[in-house]
Amino acid sequence: MDVQRWTYLLVGASFALYLGIAYWSRAGSTKDFYVAGGGVSPLANGMATAADWMSAASFISMAGLISFMGYDGAVYLMGWTGGYVLLALLLAPYLRKFGKFTVPDFVGERYYSQTARQVAVLCALFVSFTYVAGQMRGVGVVFSRFLEVPVDWGVAIGMLIVFFYATLGGMKGITYTQVAQYCVLIFAFMVPAIFISLMMTGNPIPQLGFGDRLSDGTYLLDRLDSLHQELGFAAYTSGSKGLADLFCITAALMVGTAGLPHVIVRFFTVARVRDARLSAGYALVFIAILYTTAPAIGAFARTNLINTVHNQPYDAMPEWFSKWETTGLLTFEDKNGDGRIQYVADANRNELTTFDKDIIVLANPEIARLPNWVVALVAAGGLAAALSTAAGLLLVISASVSHDFIKKMVNPHISERGELWAARISAAVAVLIAGYFGINPPGFVAEVVAFAFGLAASSFFPAILLGIFSRRMNKQGAIAGMLSGLLFTLGYIVYFKFGQTLFGLSPQAVAPARWWFGISPEGAGTLGMLLNFAVSLVVMRLSPPPPAHVQQLVETIRYPRGAGAASGH
Amino acid sequence: MHPNALKAYWRRNLRYVLLLLLLWFLVSFGCGILWAEELNALRLGGFKLGFWFAQQGAIYAFVMLIFVYVGLMNRLDRAYNVHEQAPLAPDRPAGKKRPDPNSPQSPSSPTP
């Protein structure tokens, strides 16, 4: 069978499975819809968290980014895993003890203020929309290649599917669908990695193969370093980013992970406080399997790519090359007219004029000439990753609108049925908006997602952390902190990333040389977070302490005993 | 339970958290970023050590840190008798302002 048929078969079969699960576990109540009835086992919750959170960026973009960035790719690896330590130690158990549906619920009650709740809803919507745009783009990239349709059509197809099962199942449907999606995505990620590791180093474990010897006896990473040197790139195992920038991007991603509403809400779905801690641990195990494999794939793919493409005749390129050329994500221009492809660092001589980082993982099995079913499997895995995250985000968006906004602010007397419908309608609207951003994306998948982390780090994390660990923190401090953190980070990103197109700034004004302390927009979340902490603490000292019942609440969430099921009242 | 015991529980918890976060910082920001250059002089098979920490080692350490914390806290919860008594009733009546019978102020009452 050819790749095309295998793709239809595997993608079709996996979708049938997800839709079946979504239908079987559809939500009957708002509690089912928001927190899956609050009775998910830690293991299943860990797996669902992993799928929810490992997005198109992790599956499709990350290994590709690492293969282009080398050592610097570590910011994504450590950044997107280290946050779980913060989550398990600082947030998850306490938020579970608190026991509400959404993050704005916590902020609203802890800071005894509708304004605080509104600010939190605003932040949640902002973060989730930024994030979901990256996902829809990822879905579009996968569909465009494997169904051979334009990227925009791919996005539209993805929108339709996400719409169907996110609106039907809510959290309950999503949780069990995500367990299935985790299995599909991790299988799809590991199979080609194991194949390639065996082919290149003879070691079946990619994590070890990556530090092993090639058939000629040199270590893979040493070979890669020397190839890079030959072509004029920086050495693969040493980076080119500044220390402050590495530090800030890593910190922004870590703290952002711990502040992402769709990740936090996961810990509301388990039955007990100790389960919340444990399920953060399980989630990280399931995530680590992919995250320790990704850098191996990055190194394998890089070596393979250079060997397959560089200085080879264009006419002799394998089939995958022309297929990606038709998507426009890969272009070749024979600058010196010798009919061969020169892939070098020097932009004037480099003949691979476009090389989208997002295609590395998808093209990798073909570059390594793996069997057709493996190629198709990767497509199914990429879709599982993108769809599971998109669905989780849409749920946060719809919960923010229907629960935090309509029920808590506009119409407190709305019926359960009405609230459920409001949730579904807002999910539908969210899909449309997300689709628009998927078709007109403001950057690469992983970069777009990185911004969402920066915004989460600078808005939610300090407010929640101080809300748990400081009895004295009051609403004035929290609101001022969240707003200043969010606005600062947003301003920094918009200024440096979009300043030229939006405000007609000169290229010099937004050049990396003008970054504060050499910190790129991706690391801005760390600055925003520090600002948030500083503003919160100063404003707190200048304003009265919170009322006694709130201080009592802070006291109560410190002790696990007495954790009830999550409730929306 | 005596409020002092609860204070002691919270202090122990904070001490665990600070210690584990210190290790968290050392393996990632320390070995993976700050000292990566120096550690790269050492090798672990085909890996330069700083590079290995940044792309592999730190992640393994993160997983271990969480499970150590889970273990420590489960023990601490029981030692101070603030652990949850499973199995819980699947749901609680929706009474809004009902005081929590298991809050530290009335630790003797049973779990609903």
Side-chain angles (χ1 to χ4, degrees):
Chain A
M1 268 205 292
D2 61 4
V3 174
Q4 196 73 17
R5 291 229 182 94
W6 271 115
T7 308
Y8 283 127
L9 184 72
L10 290 180
V11 170
S14 60
F15 278 22
L17 176 70
Y18 309 149
L19 294 176
I21 295 174
Y23 183 77
W24 162 73
S25 58
R26 63 193 180 279
S29 66
T30 51
K31 191 171 156 76
D32 279 350
F33 196 92
Y34 296 138
V35 293
V40 179
S41 85
L43 195 70
N45 193 51
M47 222 180 257
T49 310
D52 195 335
W53 184 76
M54 285 195 292
S55 56
S58 302
F59 191 95
I60 301 171
S61 275
M62 194 176 59
L65 270 177
I66 295 166
S67 90
F68 281 86
M69 295 167 77
Y71 164 83
D72 287 344
V75 296
Y76 296 115
L77 294 168
M78 291 194 289
W80 284 336
T81 50
Y84 276 82
V85 179
L86 298 177
L87 206 52
L89 271 56
L90 299 175
L91 308 183
Y94 309 109
L95 291 176
R96 176 62 197 86
K97 173 69 193 287
F98 177 73
K100 285 286 147 67
F101 281 167
T102 64
V103 174
D105 258 343
F106 174 81
V107 174
E109 299 226 351
R110 168 62 184 83
Y111 294 117
Y112 49 96
S113 140
Q114 284 294 76
T115 317
R117 186 192 293 272
Q118 282 156 1
V119 172
V121 172
L122 188 77
C123 295
L125 289 177
F126 218 92
V127 169
S128 303
F129 269 120
T130 317
Y131 204 139
V132 85
Q135 304 312 311
M136 298 316 287
R137 184 70 185 169
V139 175
V141 171
V142 179
F143 274 126
S144 73
R145 164 62 183 81
F146 290 98
L147 304 181
E148 296 181 359
V149 295
V151 174
D152 297 355
W153 276 95
V155 173
I157 298 170
M159 279 162 61
L160 211 72
I161 292 162
V162 173
F163 168 73
F164 181 74
Y165 74 77
T167 52
L168 185 69
M171 189 58 132
K172 196 171 165 207
I174 282 180
T175 301
Y176 295 107
T177 316
Q178 279 170 338
V179 171
Q181 279 163 335
Y182 177 78
C183 299
V184 171
L185 85 86
I186 202 69
F187 186 69
F189 201 78
M190 295 309 291
V191 167
I194 291 168
F195 262 113
I196 295 171
S197 182
L198 266 174
M199 279 168 50
M200 293 182 74
T201 65
N203 194 327
I205 302 169
Q207 284 86 342
L208 302 176
F210 162 46
D212 217 328
R213 292 169 203 274
L214 296 167
S215 51
D216 64 1
T218 48
Y219 283 116
L220 170 80
L221 289 168
D222 292 344
R223 162 66 60 81
L224 198 47
D225 277 349
S226 66
L227 279 175
H228 264 215
Q229 213 170 3
E230 239 172 75
L231 306 181
F233 295 104
Y236 190 81
T237 53
S238 55
S240 50
K241 283 188 194 295
L243 204 60
D245 199 19
L246 281 174
F247 227 85
C248 284
I249 296 178
T250 309
L253 296 180
M254 284 182 177
V255 175
T257 301
L260 280 179
H262 75 286
V263 174
I264 293 176
V265 75
R266 279 267 154 225
F267 298 96
F268 296 178
T269 61
V270 292
R272 293 174 301 174
V273 173
R274 54 180 296 187
D275 292 344
R277 295 182 195 128
L278 191 60
S279 87
Y282 282 134
L284 189 57
V285 170
F286 292 127
I287 290 162
I289 296 172
L290 189 143
Y291 271 65
T292 51
T293 308
I297 291 182
F300 294 144
R302 187 76 187 160
T303 315
N304 252 336
L305 179 81
I306 294 174
N307 287 334
T308 314
V309 169
H310 180 61
N311 246 342
Q312 302 298 320
Y314 176 66
D315 296 334
M317 277 299 112
E319 198 195 350
W320 62 264
F321 196 91
S322 62
K323 280 199 175 164
W324 282 107
E325 274 186 307
T326 57
T327 62
L329 299 173
L330 181 67
T331 52
F332 166 66
E333 185 192 329
D334 197 359
K335 287 178 182 162
N336 59 5
D338 67 350
R340 288 170 181 271
I341 300 169
Q342 269 83 38
Y343 176 52
V344 291
D346 179 2
N348 294 323
R349 291 192 302 119
N350 180 30
E351 299 184 345
L352 281 184
T353 41
T354 314
F355 199 133
D356 194 302
K357 297 166 188 135
D358 290 348
I359 69 182
I360 281 280
V361 166
L362 300 172
N364 194 27
E366 291 174 289
I367 298 175
R369 297 168 193 281
L370 296 184
N372 285 344
W373 66 269
V374 178
V375 177
L377 187 62
V378 172
L383 288 172
L387 293 176
S388 59
T389 308
L393 288 162
L394 288 174
L395 198 69
V396 168
I397 294 172
S398 69
S400 292
V401 174
S402 65
H403 181 77
D404 297 318
F405 183 69
I406 296 183
K407 184 171 170 78
K408 292 295 172 89
M409 293 180 206
V410 178
N411 178 10
H413 305 299
I414 191 168
S415 69
E416 167 107 357
R417 221 179 119 76
E419 193 185 342
L420 207 54
W421 273 105
R424 289 184 169 138
I425 292 166
S426 40
V429 175
V431 170
L432 291 176
I433 300 174
Y436 172 81
F437 284 116
I439 291 169
N440 306 295
F444 289 111
V445 174
E447 283 173 358
V448 172
V449 168
F451 294 147
F453 280 82
L455 297 177
S458 59
S459 58
F460 281 127
F461 183 77
I464 300 174
L465 187 77
L466 292 170
I468 293 167
F469 287 87
S470 161
R471 244 172 309 191
R472 175 67 175 79
M473 181 47 71
N474 56 11
K475 67 175 176 189
Q476 291 87 344
I479 294 170
M482 280 195 287
L483 283 177
S484 52
L486 184 76
L487 291 177
F488 170 82
T489 309
L490 194 63
Y492 196 90
I493 291 172
V494 168
Y495 182 87
F496 284 109
K497 276 278 165 179
F498 309 109
Q500 250 180 294
T501 46
L502 289 182
F503 312 120
L505 294 169
S506 67
Q508 289 83 13
V510 298
R514 301 293 291 274
W515 291 346
W516 296 8
F517 317 109
I519 294 165
S520 62
E522 288 180 281
T526 305
L527 297 178
M529 172 192 73
L530 295 175
L531 181 71
N532 184 337
F533 272 119
V535 169
S536 298
L537 292 170
V538 169
V539 174
M540 174 191 89
R541 275 181 217 290
L542 302 176
S543 46
H549 76 270
V550 170
Q551 299 197 31
Q552 192 59 54
L553 172 78
V554 178
E555 191 68 32
T556 324
I557 60 174
R558 294 181 174 180
Y559 314 104
R561 178 164 298 177
S567 78
H569 306 284
Chain B
M1 188 186 305
H2 201 268
N4 281 343
L6 287 176
K7 275 216 179 77
Y9 166 84
W10 184 244
R11 268 203 306 273
R12 278 285 281 281
N13 176 17
L14 289 182
R15 215 170 330 143
Y16 289 158
V17 168
L18 286 177
L19 179 76
L20 293 172
L21 285 183
L22 181 71
L23 293 173
W24 166 83
F25 185 86
L26 290 180
V27 291
S28 52
F29 292 94
C31 299
I33 297 178
L34 276 180
W35 311 311
E37 207 58 40
E38 288 80 0
L39 287 174
N40 275 342
L42 305 172
R43 293 188 72 116
L44 190 75
F47 292 109
K48 291 173 178 167
L49 195 58
F51 178 83
W52 181 82
F53 263 106
Q55 300 212 339
Q56 298 274 302
I59 302 174
Y60 300 133
F62 294 153
V63 172
M64 284 186 275
L65 288 172
I66 296 186
F67 281 99
V68 167
Y69 179 70
V70 170
L72 286 173
M73 287 310 286
N74 284 347
R75 225 179 48 191
L76 191 66
D77 287 351
R78 272 192 302 275
Y80 283 85
N81 196 27
V82 293
H83 58 289
E84 300 141 290
Q85 287 133 342
L88 270 174
D91 204 345
R92 213 167 43 165
K96 184 185 169 186
K97 290 294 176 206
R98 189 167 67 98
D100 188 346
N102 287 302
S103 69
Q105 282 63 48
S106 55
S108 53
S109 44
T111 309

